[in-house]
Amino acid sequence: MIGFLIRSPQAFSTYFLEGVELSLVSSMTAAVIDVLAFTPLAYYLSRVGIP
């Protein structure tokens, strides 16, 4: 009975699923921003050095 409730889409409210979706999208966005912003910065600092 409990296994059915866990796998059933009716067991979760739409607010819960929207929250999970928002969390995943925001995590992916943060990861992309980190890579795009800090990879060139790390490369630059490794070449120039920190004064």
Side-chain angles (χ1 to χ4, degrees):
M1 178 71 178
I2 293 176
F4 172 76
L5 290 176
I6 292 173
R7 284 182 258 132
S8 173
Q10 291 87 9
F12 302 112
S13 70
T14 57
Y15 295 115
F16 175 77
L17 295 176
E18 288 174 0
V20 170
E21 181 182 2
L22 179 62
S23 178
L24 291 174
V25 169
S26 63
S27 294
M28 288 188 298
T29 303
V32 168
I33 290 171
D34 284 346
V35 169
L36 292 178
F38 294 115
T39 300
L41 177 63
Y43 177 78
Y44 172 76
L45 291 176
S46 70
R47 295 293 179 198
V48 174
I50 301 174

